[in-house]
Every structure is written in C-alpha cells, then in structure tokens.
Amino acid sequence: MASSLTKGAAEQEKTSPGGGGKTFFGHPRGLAPLFLTEMWERFSYYGMRALLVVYLIAGGPDAKPDSQGGGLAMPEASSVAIYSAYVGMVYLLAMPGGWFGDRVWGPRKTVAIAAGIIMAGHLALAVPGKPTFFFGLALVAIGSGLLKANISTMVGHLYDGPQDPRRDGGFTIFYIGVNIGAFAAPLVIGTVGQKVNWHLGFSIAALGMGLGLIIFLLGTRHLSPTSSVVPKPLTAAERKSTIVKALMWFAVAAAFYGVVAGTGHFSQKWATIPLALLGVVIPITVLTRIKRDKELSASEQTKVSGYIWFFVAAAVFWMIFDQAGSTMSTFAEKKTADNVFGIDFPSTWFQSVNPLWVMAIAPVFASMWLWLARRDREPSTTVKFSMAMVGIGASFFVFAIPMAMATDGTKVTPAWLLMIYGIQTMGELCLSPVGLSLTTKMAPQKYASQMMGVWFLAVTAGDCTMTLLSESGVDLNGIGVILGQAAAATLAGLAVWMYRKKIEALMGDVR
C-alpha cells in the first residue's frame, strides 16, 4: 500500500505543472524560486518601509543634511500622510498589475519587469535629495503592484487545479517566505539605515530585490509553461484604445500640475490628497459597479451585499493596523526606550515584531481552529471578523496608556509595543487569512479573479483615509484620536457581531 501511494505521488509530480522529479518540501520544484523571489521582494519592501517614516522625520537644525546621509526633517503629519498614501497605492496598483499579467505581458514577464522596477526604485531612494526620493517611492509602489498579483498566480499554476491536495500547503510555504523577508528586513536594512547611513540602507533593499530577480530568472525553467501565457491578450483595437486613453489622462495630469507648479502653488498636498481620494473613491466605485451588474444572479447579488460588510470592517482594521509603520513607528523612535539589558537597538527593529508574532502564533491559531472544528465549535467567519475588530480596537486602547505615560518626555519600556503588536497580530490572524478565503467563496463567477484585487482595495481605502485625516490637520499622535480610532473599531466589531445573523443570511451557503 505504501509503495503504491509513493508511486502515485511520484507520477503526480511528474505530470503536474512545474513538476520534474525533484521537489521542494514535497511540492513542485518551481515553488523554490517563487518562494525566494517573494522573500527577497518582501525583504526589500519591509526594509524600506521600516526606514520610511523615521527617515522622513529625521534631521533638524543640528542634524546632518540629506546630502551627507541625514534625513529630510519633515513634520510628523506630512510623513504619516506620505507613508499612508504610499502603502495605499501599493495595494491599489495590484489591480492594474493583475490586468497587465492577464492582458499584456503574462504573469512571468510581468514579475520580471516588476522586480526590475522595484530595484530601480530603491536605487533612486539611495540617491540623496527629495526629487529622487519621491521618484524612487513611486517606482517601488508601481513595481510592488505589478509583482503582488502575478507571483501568487504563478504559485497556483504549479498545481493541478484547485483540487490538488498540495495547493494549500504550497501557499502556506510561500507565505512563510513573506514573513521571513519581513522579519529580517528591519533588522538588517533598518540597522544600517539608522546607525550607518540612510541611503546605504536603501541600497541594501535594492541589492535584496536584485538577488530576488536573479533567482527568479534562473528558476524560470522550473515554472509552469502557463505562467508565460497571456490569458486574454489585448486585441489591436483594445491596445490602441488603451494607449490613447492612457496618454490622454497623462496629458491632462501633466497640464494640470504644470499650471499648479508654474503658478507657485504646488505643495505636498497636491500629490497626497488626490492619490488618497482615488484610494477611497476607486474601491467604492468598483464595489458599486459589481453590485449593480445586472448579469449577476439573485444569489450572487445577495452575497455581494454581504461581502460589503466584511469589506468595510477590513478597511477599518487596516486603517489602524498599518499605523505600525507610521504612528507607532514615530512613537518607537521618539518615546520608547532603545536599550534592553544594556543592548542598544534602532527603533526600526520594532517592525520585525509583527512577522515574528505571526510565525510564532499562526500555527497555534491554525491548530485551534481545527480543534474547535472537530467539536463543531469553530467560530463563524462573521464572529472571527468581529474578534479581529475588537482586538485591533483593544490594541489602541492599550496604546493610549504608554502615550499618556510619555507626555512628560519619559521614554516607556519596549514591552508596551511588543504587547500591542501581539494583540494586533492575533486580530490579523482572525481577519486576513479568513478574508482571503471568504473572498474566493463569495466572489460572483464573473468576477472570480478580480475579487482578490477588490479585497486588497480594503487596505487602500483604510490607508488613504489616514492620509486624508493627516492632511486635513488631524493629529494622529494625539491620545484623543487614538482612543477615537479604538472606539470606532470596537463598535464596528460589535456591530458585526450584533448583526451576524443578518450578514450570514446574505452569505447564502458560505460559512
């Protein structure tokens, strides 16, 4: 019996996409280059993200100028607005990134081009000066958006369809690569950037992405041939129409900003506010278009109505969660002790705490859900979302305590941030993987592929809301604002719980 099973598994490996005899932890060999490419891409992304806000606020009258490795000495509010808009754009651009993979270049070529754009962006960040900084930031956002949607698609191509028993395990291994990169990046890039030279830190991020690109190119022979195929290539007429529309919008934007700059009125807000408005309007528009699509069946229409509840809850969740790299980052830099047991460390190290928590407790959560499921006591999706919302709200209620302690200039113990990140990670594990699974289950057939991009738009909506708040003069570092966000998230979680039966009725057969 054992030998027949082994033989069957071997035959499956030989005939599966991306197979070829040798395996990567029992999975198609092509998973290895994708795992390493994503790991290095996340290393570069989270390393740069860890430096972003502290680099923007670093500097002052007595600090080194940026040309000598100093920071940009920007106000905290402006730094938070830039950070939130940047993160929002990364997730917003995942949708056109997927479109390029489906209609123009195919997933494999799109990922290779994206990696090159990301590397160029980090190299631009490594050159001192505001113009190169914002140019580099834009390149990294564009490249990350192109890569994000397509590399996950290529992981799916390695398996024999959704029913392949190895598929979920393959994505789990792939997700481990994400967290390894996210954990290591602040420790390496953050330390070099803060302790040695900011731009050397950005250069290491470029080196990381360069390594990822080399590994990807060398490993393409192990990938499924499907990853090179353009699933639905543009017709000649569509290509012409797309180019004309793109050039038209570019010309309008260039003319508008040319007038603004020429009259001396240009400021940061002319860049961040329009981007943030797009990040809020586009998700609403996309969901409205799907909801009003008359081709959807009555059942699909009902599920979309139910999905909107989860989308709004997720947007509120990410609005708070992503402040780990902005509001909490500035608190770590200015108001948290940077010495434990006589060991000094840079504030960017705190950005490694969340992926460390994920790797530590994700297996616990997975086992707990299975244990409860066997006893028919596993919480429903709505209850898990409610738990996530209450958890993220609770984290900011706790955050208000060290904020109050530090108002007189006292630096608080790092234990506070470790605890807050731990609470947020538990909320993340109740919402993020559950939301991904829910999206695939509730997606109308017509929008099966696009709905994953819609899920990422919840991140965009949450982060761009923070940009609008910051640019409108709201002090996101104020205790009252922190408590207000905590209350809003908690109330949203309680609302989901109170209306769970109504939401579950809209979900139909999905649980």
Side-chain angles (χ1 to χ4, degrees):
M1 183 69 169
S3 60
S4 64
L5 286 174
T6 304
K7 182 179 178 181
E11 290 300 317
Q12 182 184 37
E13 178 59 35
K14 289 178 182 178
T15 59
S16 66
K22 294 183 179 180
T23 66
F24 179 66
F25 294 107
H27 290 266
R29 199 174 177 185
L31 184 61
L34 297 179
F35 170 94
L36 293 170
T37 302
E38 179 72 358
M39 184 189 77
W40 283 113
E41 188 274 329
R42 292 290 89 182
F43 175 85
S44 69
Y45 172 80
Y46 280 102
M48 186 278 287
R49 199 185 85 158
L51 287 180
L52 182 55
V53 169
V54 288
Y55 167 67
L56 289 172
I57 65 175
D62 301 321
K64 292 186 296 184
D66 185 47
S67 60
Q68 298 174 19
L72 294 181
M74 297 181 68
E76 286 187 22
S78 298
S79 302
V80 170
I82 291 169
Y83 165 85
S84 299
Y86 163 71
V87 175
M89 289 303 102
V90 167
Y91 286 91
L92 177 64
L93 291 168
M95 285 198 75
W99 180 86
F100 267 91
D102 287 342
R103 306 298 308 275
V104 183
W105 293 324
R108 187 184 299 189
K109 185 176 180 180
T110 304
V111 167
I113 292 172
I117 293 173
I118 293 170
M119 185 170 63
H122 288 303
L123 289 173
L125 290 170
V127 178
K130 278 189 178 181
T132 52
F133 172 80
F134 287 109
F135 178 65
L137 207 60
L139 287 179
V140 175
I142 293 169
S144 297
L146 286 170
L147 187 141
K148 192 169 188 66
N150 289 285
I151 196 165
S152 296
T153 299
M154 293 169 66
V155 173
H157 287 161
L158 297 172
Y159 299 94
D160 295 320
Q163 304 308 316
D164 190 322
R166 302 167 300 164
R167 187 183 180 92
D168 287 351
F171 274 98
T172 300
I173 293 173
F174 182 72
Y175 191 61
I176 291 172
V178 172
N179 283 283
I180 291 174
F183 170 71
L187 302 179
V188 179
I189 297 174
T191 302
V192 172
Q194 279 190 286
K195 296 298 185 181
V196 182
N197 183 286
W198 296 109
H199 303 290
L200 182 58
F202 293 132
S203 297
I204 294 175
L207 176 63
M209 189 66 263
L211 288 172
L213 177 57
I214 292 170
I215 290 168
F216 178 77
L217 294 175
L218 292 176
T220 51
R221 65 184 184 276
H222 300 300
L223 302 178
S224 167
T226 307
S227 65
S228 293
V229 175
V230 182
K232 190 180 179 184
L234 292 171
T235 63
E238 287 176 325
R239 186 180 295 273
K240 181 179 178 181
S241 174
T242 301
I243 293 173
V244 169
K245 288 179 181 178
L247 290 174
M248 182 186 70
W249 281 109
F250 178 79
V252 170
F256 176 78
Y257 281 102
V259 171
V260 172
T263 56
H265 290 91
F266 185 80
S267 66
Q268 175 190 302
K269 291 184 179 182
W270 281 102
T272 54
I273 291 178
L275 288 176
L277 287 172
L278 283 174
V280 174
V281 171
I282 289 176
I284 295 173
T285 303
V286 170
L287 280 172
T288 302
R289 178 173 60 84
I290 294 174
K291 173 63 182 168
R292 292 182 175 179
D293 191 334
K294 295 181 180 180
E295 293 183 13
L296 301 186
S297 67
S299 173
E300 289 176 327
Q301 286 276 5
T302 301
K303 287 180 180 178
V304 172
S305 298
Y307 186 77
I308 291 172
W309 279 81
F310 296 107
F311 182 91
V312 173
V316 175
F317 179 91
W318 295 119
M319 182 181 74
I320 296 177
F321 184 87
D322 275 346
Q323 289 181 62
S326 55
T327 308
M328 293 179 67
S329 182
T330 58
F331 185 84
E333 171 69 5
K334 295 186 174 183
K335 299 181 179 180
T336 305
D338 58 0
N339 184 292
V340 176
F341 303 123
I343 301 173
D344 293 326
F345 60 92
S347 62
T348 47
W349 281 22
F350 284 107
Q351 300 298 305
S352 289
V353 174
N354 170 249
L356 183 62
W357 273 119
V358 169
M359 290 186 286
I361 64 178
V364 177
F365 267 66
S367 299
M368 179 179 69
W369 297 142
L370 285 173
W371 184 82
L372 290 171
R374 292 192 200 102
R375 289 157 179 76
D376 199 27
R377 297 180 65 182
E378 182 183 6
S380 65
T381 297
T382 49
V383 173
K384 288 179 181 177
F385 261 70
S386 177
M387 292 165 61
M389 299 301 297
V390 171
I392 200 72
S395 75
F396 261 34
F397 278 124
V398 174
F399 187 27
I401 299 173
M403 288 190 79
M405 293 168 62
T407 52
D408 61 355
T410 301
K411 288 200 171 185
V412 302
T413 172
W416 282 107
L417 289 182
L418 297 180
M419 178 169 61
I420 293 165
Y421 283 128
I423 296 170
Q424 292 185 345
T425 301
M426 287 188 280
E428 178 190 7
L429 292 172
C430 287
L431 181 137
S432 185
V434 175
L436 288 168
S437 176
L438 178 76
T439 299
T440 61
K441 294 175 182 176
M442 294 185 70
Q445 186 65 34
K446 182 178 178 180
Y447 298 99
S449 298
Q450 294 181 47
M451 284 299 284
M452 195 57 70
V454 172
W455 170 251
F456 289 133
L457 288 181
V459 183
T460 298
D463 282 304
C464 288
T465 299
M466 295 309 299
T467 297
L468 292 173
L469 289 173
S470 182
E471 293 290 33
S472 63
V474 175
D475 180 11
L476 299 178
N477 292 301
I479 295 177
V481 175
I482 294 297
L483 289 173
Q485 293 179 70
T490 303
L491 290 173
L494 292 175
V496 171
W497 185 81
M498 289 174 61
Y499 288 95
R500 64 190 183 281
K501 293 191 182 299
K502 178 181 178 180
I503 298 170
E504 288 168 0
L506 293 172
M507 293 169 65
D509 57 352
V510 177
R511 287 292 176 267

